[in-house]
Amino acid sequence: MKIFDLKKDVKACLLNLKTNHKTIGFVPTMGALHQGHLSLIKKAKQKNDVVVVSIFVNPTQFDNAEDLKKYPKTLENDIKLLKSVACDVLFHPTVAEIYAANISSEKFNFDGLEHQMEGKFRDGHFNGVGTIVKTLFEIITPNKAYFGEKDFQQLQIIKKMVKKNNLPVKIKGCAIFREADGLAMSSRNTRLTEDYRNAAPFIYKILKKAKKKFGTENATKITAWVTKKFKEHPLLELEYFTIAEEKTLETAIKKEKNKKYRAFIAVFAGRIRLIDNIRLK
Ligand code: PAF
């Protein structure tokens, strides 16, 4: 595996591959890799000649200084994992290499997607995500890029950015990877204390029950039920639960036949914020 930390070096390597008509699959990450990331890389390996992974903890997408500071950093182990799935190229730049002296975001218009759910609670988050993903696409120029559906809103926003800016990359969403007890895999899970880790699978249990209820009950009633369940929970604190339409991410008022819906949730397990979602039939 080749490892680069400078834009000019990774660009030169990829230009050479592109000249030889190799297709590039790209998996952007913030490191602290887990099986969920590896599943994206494996998918990218199947569909492309070369796979590039980036590890970059992007400061502009954090609205919380403590979360940024404490974001897990496990580079040595990440490199081992990347080698185990035969990743071809790792791009691991510094903040200065990406932002120079100006650590700020471009302002995007994602046609309202950015105002729903995470956008209501994480100020400037999606401008930060848009800025870094666009910058990385410019550097890597991938044919396809892979994102997990755990961050479903992020996935829809990136698709929107690609469409609006006519970027020549196909965005591929990949199913959520879960621990055996149902907890959605996330780099933040490693920061959970034992008690919170044991409590966290409750989130997916509730999502599965909400999915069942969606067959017979309306979104308002289900939301009230979920809210009550978390009020009764001794450890987990609900930030939001929303049933929304997949395309617009607008809260569902009334079910419509030809629309697809998902339930989205954000929960605090102590100081650690966990998100998850489930497709509803
Ligand atoms: O999902 C993530 O890990 C990050 O938001 C991403 C897409 C790598 C951008 O920093």
Side-chain angles (χ1 to χ4, degrees), residues 125-162:
H125 172 66
F126 288 118
N127 280 328
V129 170
T131 302
I132 189 58
V133 172
K134 192 159 162 259
T135 303
L136 290 169
F137 283 174
E138 280 158 10
I139 298 167
I140 308 295
T141 63
N143 300 81
K144 296 189 181 110
Y146 296 79
F147 295 85
E149 285 186 348
K150 184 174 80 68
D151 298 293
F152 191 83
Q153 186 172 10
Q154 166 175 282
L155 172 65
Q156 297 299 64
I157 276 177
I158 290 167
K159 282 184 181 166
K160 177 72 77 179
M161 180 185 76
V162 163

Side-chain angles (χ1 to χ4, degrees), residues 222-262:
I222 298 170
T223 306
W225 176 80
V226 172
T227 307
K228 181 170 169 285
K229 283 290 167 197
F230 276 93
K231 275 212 174 109
E232 289 164 4
H233 197 284
L235 285 178
L236 302 175
E237 196 187 317
L238 182 68
E239 185 167 56
Y240 67 75
F241 171 85
T242 311
I243 291 179
E245 201 248 318
E246 281 196 354
K247 253 197 186 149
T248 60
L249 301 180
E250 279 169 14
T251 301
I253 312 284
K254 224 174 97 195
K255 270 184 251 178
E256 288 176 49
K257 257 202 168 165
N258 299 325
K259 292 189 171 167
K260 290 180 182 157
Y261 298 94
R262 258 176 207 257

Side-chain angles (χ1 to χ4, degrees), residues 207-217 222 243-244 246 255-263 278-281:
L207 284 181
K208 281 194 295 187
K209 285 194 181 155
K211 180 180 173 119
K212 230 179 189 173
K213 284 176 178 284
F214 194 65
T216 53
E217 292 177 27
I222 298 170
I243 291 179
E246 281 196 354
K255 270 184 251 178
E256 288 176 49
K257 257 202 168 165
N258 299 325
K259 292 189 171 167
K260 290 180 182 157
Y261 298 94
R262 258 176 207 257
I278 195 167
R279 165 162 291 171
L280 305 172
K281 282 271 173 324

Side-chain angles (χ1 to χ4, degrees), residues 1-230:
M1 182 173 74
K2 291 184 172 140
I3 303 179
F4 300 103
D5 48 17
L6 297 180
K7 289 184 274 191
K8 69 173 177 45
D9 292 341
V10 76
K11 275 184 179 176
C13 165
L14 296 174
L15 184 64
N16 187 31
L17 291 166
K18 285 215 145 183
T19 315
N20 289 312
H21 306 289
K22 302 282 185 212
T23 57
I24 297 172
F26 178 42
V27 183
T29 82
M30 298 206 294
L33 302 181
H34 50 66
Q35 291 302 319
H37 293 115
L38 299 190
S39 75
L40 302 182
I41 297 167
K42 285 178 195 160
K43 198 160 244 176
K45 282 284 303 178
Q46 285 163 12
K47 303 281 180 190
N48 303 272
D49 297 319
V50 175
V51 172
V52 181
V53 170
S54 63
I55 294 182
F56 179 68
V57 182
N58 173 37
T60 62
Q61 71 187 73
F62 286 80
D63 62 330
N64 176 326
E66 186 196 340
D67 195 24
L68 171 60
K69 202 169 146 208
K70 296 207 169 144
Y71 199 84
K73 290 174 194 75
T74 57
L75 186 62
E76 227 174 273
N77 191 50
D78 290 349
I79 290 174
K80 268 191 209 145
L81 290 174
L82 290 174
K83 285 183 177 167
S84 78
V85 288
C87 170
D88 301 288
V89 175
L90 167 62
F91 180 47
H92 177 243
T94 60
V95 172
E97 178 66 6
I98 293 293
Y99 285 104
N102 181 21
I103 306 178
S104 65
S105 299
E106 190 180 330
K107 304 279 173 281
F108 290 91
N109 173 352
F110 298 116
D111 292 344
L113 292 177
E114 69 274 36
H115 303 312
Q116 307 297 334
M117 300 177 297
E118 292 296 288
K120 289 184 187 152
F121 294 92
R122 302 184 69 187
D123 198 24
H125 172 66
F126 288 118
N127 280 328
V129 170
T131 302
I132 189 58
V133 172
K134 192 159 162 259
T135 303
L136 290 169
F137 283 174
E138 280 158 10
I139 298 167
I140 308 295
T141 63
N143 300 81
K144 296 189 181 110
Y146 296 79
F147 295 85
E149 285 186 348
K150 184 174 80 68
D151 298 293
F152 191 83
Q153 186 172 10
Q154 166 175 282
L155 172 65
Q156 297 299 64
I157 276 177
I158 290 167
K159 282 184 181 166
K160 177 72 77 179
M161 180 185 76
V162 163
K163 198 165 176 201
K164 283 188 123 178
N165 292 279
N166 286 317
L167 303 180
V169 51
K170 281 206 174 77
I171 303 302
K172 301 284 178 190
C174 304
I176 299 175
F177 228 73
R178 298 185 180 280
E179 302 287 353
D181 58 14
L183 177 63
M185 286 196 187
S186 162
S187 305
R188 288 185 175 86
N189 292 354
T190 57
R191 292 183 54 209
L192 294 169
T193 62
E194 200 181 337
D195 284 351
Y196 286 116
R197 175 63 189 82
N198 291 337
F202 183 74
I203 300 168
Y204 185 51
K205 269 192 200 138
I206 290 289
L207 284 181
K208 281 194 295 187
K209 285 194 181 155
K211 180 180 173 119
K212 230 179 189 173
K213 284 176 178 284
F214 194 65
T216 53
E217 292 177 27
N218 69 37
T220 313
K221 203 166 164 206
I222 298 170
T223 306
W225 176 80
V226 172
T227 307
K228 181 170 169 285
K229 283 290 167 197
F230 276 93

